[in-house]
């Protein structure tokens, strides 16, 4: 049976499209100056009326020519006003079926349905907009048909699996998330920006004020940092409010969002790896976040392509417990890179400071302005400290059924990959690594984050150690595949 979009999608899309043109109209009105002023009220009325009529006519045509239906083997969509497009999506390719609703959509009773497929770089199909009950029906129907397509011969998937609550965010966790969402790297960026490259013009303005200039600079930095913390914290709360994670049969289901409500699923058999993310503040509070990466594309769930947040924030033990329910694994004891990698990091930071100081000094001579290039020297004693913590934050672990990697100090990420999910193991050495007899090992998975460098990597290992790690993971991959057959 063929279905259409919800009738209320027409006025909603008309208003949505009209609001999108408002900035352009304002810009043209300001840029044209006297030409815009020559428009009489009647002429403005006619122009606006014609624009609204054109947008409404287009959206009506889009609504009338958009249809979808579920066939025995595929989900079919026909769309397009001028250029027609017919899509047939096999059920076995369906990765996720997500529902999103903002405040206005919830008031109208409509929702956006997004269908993600394995290996896709974007949503395979988006229905804007259907009734919320229809969206839930489609979500359940596509999930059911997908499970039936992937069920082994002679077995039948459990269609009546009860949902089991795994995690529900608490007000305390939400408060910690609001505080811990602030990126502390902004502080160092502002310090460099205001104290190293601030032009003398700003200095003169500050010195003319009736207060100590240092107090003014400190107040500016404090205001920017506090403002950034408030904005980032509010954004985290709005996106994560009411987060619930449940398990029903062979999939995880989540709900989240205050203004924009999301309702989606994570198929357990599509999970490629687990990632624990802990910035500095989370580690101080004893919290972490759990992100799962799937083989498909999931926009905006975990901060990256192909990532979905399974636990936005919780105590480390809670996060670890839920992760082991998704993919069983044991303890993780990291093996760090050799100490000569730490010396390499320190030298690299010192060279970076030298280049920065040279650039600022040249700019000082070229512009004839005093830009405090010598302030870069303050970073010299910090280079060995930064190198130590970078070295300390990197490592890998080889388990019986899985391999894990860790990297990052400000935003530390620990990735756990079952051997049967590994696609390829690549050992690489840059020109600079070869001088130090170091190499890195990339553990490639089917996750989409590999396109943006998100695959697990063991950085700066001894050359022999890197070769051993590559051979070990490749061998255990074959053993794992043999066992699963």
């Amino acid at each position: 049976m063929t279905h259409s979009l919800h009738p209320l999608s027409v006025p909603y899309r008309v208003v949505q499209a009209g609001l999108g043109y408002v900035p352009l109209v304002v810009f043209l009105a300001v840029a044209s100056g006297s030409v815009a002023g020559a428009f009489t009220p009647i002429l403005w009325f006619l122009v606006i009326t014609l624009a609204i009529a054109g947008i409404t006519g287009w959206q009506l045509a889009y609504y009338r020519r958009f249809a979808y239906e579920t066939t025995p083997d595929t989900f079919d969509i026909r769309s397009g006003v001028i250029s027609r497009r017919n899509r047939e999506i096999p059920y076995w390719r369906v990765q996720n079926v997500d529902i999103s609703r903002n405040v206005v959509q919830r008031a109208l009773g409509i929702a956006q349905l997004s269908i993600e497929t394995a290996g896709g770089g974007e949503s395979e199909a988006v229905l804007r907009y259907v009734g919320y009950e229809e969206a839930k029906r489609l979500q359940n129907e596509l999930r059911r048909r997908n499970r039936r397509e992937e069920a082994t011969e002679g077995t039948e998937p459990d269609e009546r699996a009860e949902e089991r609550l795994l995690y529900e965010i608490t007000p305390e966790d939400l408060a910690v998330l609001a505080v811990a969402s602030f990126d502390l790297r902004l502080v160092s960026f502002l310090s460099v920006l205001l104290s190293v490259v601030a032009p003398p013009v700003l200095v003169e303005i500050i010195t003319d004020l009736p207060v100590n200039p240092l107090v003014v600079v400190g107040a500016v930095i404090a205001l920017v940092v506090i403002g950034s913390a408030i904005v980032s914290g509010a954004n985290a709360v709005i996106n994560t409010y009411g987060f619930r994670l449940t398990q029903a049969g062979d999939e995880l289901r989540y709900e989240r969002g205050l203004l924009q409500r999301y309702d989606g699923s994570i198929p357990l058999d599509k999970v490629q790896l687990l990632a624990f993310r802990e910035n500095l503040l989370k580690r101080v509070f004893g919290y972490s976040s759990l992100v799962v990466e799937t083989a498909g594309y999931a926009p905006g769930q975990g901060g990256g392509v192909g990532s979905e947040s399974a636990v936005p924030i919780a105590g480390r033990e809670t996060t670890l417990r839920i992760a082991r329910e998704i993919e069983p694994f044991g303890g993780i004891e990291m093996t760090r890179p050799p100490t000569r990698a730490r010396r390499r990091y320190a030298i690299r930071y010192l060279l970076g400071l030298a280049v920065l100081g040279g650039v600022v000094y040249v700019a000082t001579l070229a512009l004839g302005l005093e830009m405090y290039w010598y302030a870069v020297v303050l970073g010299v004693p910090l280079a060995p400290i930064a190198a130590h913590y970078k070295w300390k934050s990197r490592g890998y672990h080889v388990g019986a059924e899985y391999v894990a990697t860790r990297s990052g100090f400000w935003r530390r990420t620990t990735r756990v990959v079952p051997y049967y999910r590994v696609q390829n193991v690549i050992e690489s050495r840059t020109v600079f690594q070869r001088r130090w007899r170091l190499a890195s090992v990339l553990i490639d998975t089917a996750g989409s984050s590999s396109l943006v460098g998100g695959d697990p990597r063991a950085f700066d290992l001894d050359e022999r150690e890197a070769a051993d790690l590559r051979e070990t993971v490749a061998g255990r991959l074959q053993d794992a595949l043999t066992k699963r057959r």
Side-chain angles (χ1 to χ4, degrees), residues 312-335:
I313 190 167
R316 289 194 185 98
E317 293 301 320
T318 300
T319 305
L320 190 61
R321 173 184 59 81
I322 296 174
R324 285 173 172 159
E325 292 195 32
I326 297 174
E327 184 66 54
F329 62 92
I332 299 176
E333 296 182 2
M334 289 295 168
T335 300

Side-chain angles (χ1 to χ4, degrees), residues 169 171 173-183 186 224-241 258 279 281 313:
I169 196 165
D173 289 345
L174 203 59
V176 174
L177 179 64
V179 175
S181 296
F182 176 56
D183 193 345
L186 180 61
V224 173
V225 171
I226 292 172
S228 300
I230 292 174
V231 171
S232 59
N235 182 65
V237 170
I238 290 172
N239 287 331
T240 316
Y241 179 84
L258 179 61
N279 61 22
L281 287 175
I313 190 167

